[in-house]
Amino acid sequence: MKKIFPLLLILALQPIFSQTPQGERGRGNGQGPRAASPITITGKVLDKENDMPLEYATLVLQSIENPDQISGGITDMDGNFSVEAKPGKYNISIEYISYRTYKLPNQTLTESTDLGTIRLALDVAQLDAVEVVGEKTTVEVRLDKKIYNIGKDLTTSGATITDALNNVPSVDVDVEGAISLRGNENVRILINGKPSALAGFGSTDALTQLPADAIEKVEVITSPSARYDAEGTAGILNIILKKEKTLGFNGSVNTTIGYPVNSGITVNANLRTDKFNIFNTTGYRYRDAPGNAFFDNTYTSGSFDRIIEDREYNRLRKGFNTNLGLEYFITEESSITGSVFYRTSDSKDETENTNQRFTNGLIGSETFRTEDENEDDENYQFSLNYVNNLDDDGQKLTVDLQYSKGEETKFSIIEENNTVPNQDLLVLENVYEIESENEYLVQADYVLPMGDAQFEVGYRGTFEEDVTDYRLDSLNQSTNQFDINENLTNMFTYTENVNALYTQYGNKFGKFSFLLGLRLENTQLKGQLDSEFDTTELEEQLGVDVDVNFDKNYLGLFPTLNFILEIAENENISLGYNRRINRPRGWFVNPFPSRSSRTNIFQGNPDLNPAFSNAFDLGYLKRWDKLTLTSSIYYQRETDSFERVQEETGQTTTDGIEIIRSIPINLSTNDRIGLEAGMMYNPTKWLRLNSSFNFFQFSTEGEFNDIDYGATNTSWFARFSSKVSLPAKVDWQTNAFYRGPSQNAQTESKGIFSLNLAFSKDILDDNGTISMNVSDLLNSRKRRSFTETEFFTSESEFQWRRRQVTLGFVYRFNQPKERNRNGRGNGPGEGGEEEIEG
């Protein structure tokens, strides 16, 4: 913070200085002694390694006689500075994010002085950064991650965080909102480096309700260093939220309206003084997401040999969220930040399902099923962060405390009636479900530079309790009263406590950099079922003894290694290795069955154990004047990986339909190998082209109940984006995405193509921007799949959300459109990441 504050102070006071009347400056109109004529301090600032000019470097002049008097200026695009000052004695420093500060203490300046050419070296505290220079790009490469700025992606206007993630290379969001990294859904979602209620704890549902314009950037961490949780065998997506650092009061208002209904307003506001920084983001969304699905199922046994389902979905989402924080600067070296996040939402889902049942090609019966679900969510989070920059060499201590609480209440009414051959009522059910989550986080990190090296040590503890209260009442038509379904009603408490210690060491020898780390994690998983449950059937199915009230402990070491070799100034090779863990979530171990329909049941497995993976990543980066190429080859081997298998239960509904159960097990060993490449090309100022390609193959080996679930799946996905700057300050962006066909042991899915268009125009002296965004222009984002087992087949088509058109308007006050150009202006805790244009 101390490196940024002088620049902000200078910029804020500059208008005041320029408007001060001459008589008040020097009392030079016969009203007092005339002040000494100002002198000019000039010079040039370059990067020590490549002699490239450093734009926005800061010259700070601190008066020795009056230390509170600070003046100075910044460098231009050629690295030059020219600053007027009064003659006197000064401590001079030249500062730049991620670089060591150049100091000239106790200087007496009596005449104009040229400080000459000053070359700044990278700060060892940022040893793990490999900065992308030259043409602005959309990626910054580090030893353990890639950082993408999606804040200037036009297609995210009016979108949610989930929509925005689907535009990030290596990331894919399927039609149901499930997030995967390099084709693997076991990805850990963090907010500002920590698990958070903003991300909905273990679920990603909350990300579909938060606005995309709250995001500053996304870190794609495919080879996480030891400072990160070992959770998530695919890697980590760390979402960095906006927090303005500009001095004074500033912010923006973003409004959207769309069809189908998609409206909202988000206000970002920031007040910064020399002692504190208050920031707030508040938003409200009202969104309708109609969808549809079609299933054609055939059966080898049962009363019917074919069932056709036709579903229509209407999902109404109303949500409010606010994040209020205060950063207080205790000293120039230390600060404490407190923040409160609150989110509430009201959702109404209506599903209509028409079922036609056939025997030998003749319709035997037809039913109509409705499911009306009301869901209320309330989440809040309290965070406290302490940062102390212990010295100018990068020694640093940070402490984080966080408490998160969430409660989700669902009430559903399920009704199914015959329409052929009669109008009889088949089932009427009321489902009550309350899920509450409490999570505590304690974290401390210490960084110690040691010459050209860096040592880091830290602790993180997360303590989470998840309580699910599930009750199902069925109408007894003989008594016309609702009876509790004891076979499904239950209360289950799941506890996950993780204590972790880590240490890592990094160094740089010429063009070779490395970061070695080791993380020790102790995991406690506890389950408590406050209901009677007969384990006999489940034990027979799994072939093991099942304890529904369990207490398991796992102690594991998780090493990480990351290397970078700079072949040339604009070319490097990276190599990473890490070991990771996949812990089961609460609903995966809850033994009580739950159901989405009368014929499909999901049942958790209390005997489920964590899965472990070892992953390797070999990367290559090459930059030309207008082109940047990133690529990598990766391999991952996961043991005891989770697989959801479907089996017959031997039970039927009252009208003779087979009931199918899905259950997760530690089924298999999974080998995954892949190749990804990304290209960013800016041939002219008015055209930017981005594309990425990811090819992967995974092989699964596993057998359960004499059924071989081994399979080999080869798939790929690719995206292409073009941004054209047209006359009259109009920007046009096109995003195309294609996911290739894929398959697992039981299901084969076809390819999916989607196309998004967006236009924007700056107005009101560039303080405002209007935009139009068309999501899924061709209405083609549909999942088509075919499932085959020994006892049934299913051919299906599913569309989560139809094509959507959104209009948006953003107004910025005291805030330029290009905020923090090139990333200069971030404070400590941001790591000096480069803010880059999309």
Side-chain angles (χ1 to χ4, degrees), residues 653-725:
T653 63
T654 55
D655 48 347
I657 303 174
E658 290 284 345
I659 297 177
I660 299 170
R661 175 191 286 114
S662 297
I663 189 168
I665 59 173
N666 294 109
L667 173 70
S668 62
T669 297
N670 194 322
D671 288 301
R672 181 182 297 265
I673 187 170
L675 166 69
E676 68 176 358
M679 182 271 294
M680 291 143 283
Y681 181 46
N682 302 337
T684 66
K685 291 183 178 179
W686 55 268
L687 178 61
R688 298 189 182 107
L689 304 175
N690 290 344
S691 66
S692 62
F693 175 80
N694 198 306
F695 171 87
F696 55 88
Q697 180 184 82
F698 62 85
S699 300
T700 300
E701 295 180 357
E703 186 175 291
F704 179 66
N705 286 347
D706 298 325
I707 298 177
D708 185 3
Y709 287 90
T712 298
N713 177 22
T714 300
S715 188
W716 57 277
F717 62 86
R719 54 171 47 89
F720 173 81
S721 175
S722 66
K723 186 175 180 181
V724 181
S725 297

Side-chain angles (χ1 to χ4, degrees), residues 121-255:
L122 281 171
D123 191 338
V124 70
Q126 304 300 332
L127 179 68
D128 58 344
V130 177
E131 188 175 4
V132 178
V133 294
E135 277 295 311
K136 289 184 182 179
T137 177
T138 58
V139 63
E140 178 190 352
V141 179
R142 294 197 170 191
L143 272 167
D144 57 350
K145 59 191 172 187
K146 296 176 183 176
I147 303 172
Y148 295 93
N149 179 1
I150 61 175
K152 297 179 179 66
D153 190 327
L154 302 184
T155 59
T156 62
S157 176
T160 67
I161 288 181
T162 300
D163 297 324
L165 289 177
N166 205 33
N167 292 334
V168 176
S170 304
V171 180
D172 178 30
V173 182
D174 70 13
V175 294
E176 293 179 278
I179 299 170
S180 62
L181 183 60
R182 291 174 167 176
N184 188 344
E185 292 186 4
N186 184 26
V187 55
R188 179 70 157 165
I189 308 292
L190 302 179
I191 303 291
N192 294 333
K194 297 182 286 293
S196 173
L198 280 74
F201 297 99
S203 169
T204 59
D205 292 343
L207 300 181
T208 65
Q209 301 175 35
L210 297 176
D213 53 21
I215 304 177
E216 189 78 23
K217 52 201 157 197
V218 175
E219 296 179 346
V220 178
I221 311 173
T222 52
S223 183
S225 64
R227 72 165 63 96
Y228 294 103
D229 280 340
E231 172 71 27
T233 54
I236 295 171
L237 290 179
N238 185 23
I239 301 170
I240 306 296
L241 301 181
K242 293 177 180 177
K243 186 173 69 172
E244 183 63 50
K245 294 287 185 178
T246 306
L247 194 68
F249 180 68
N250 54 78
S252 64
V253 179
N254 191 335
T255 60

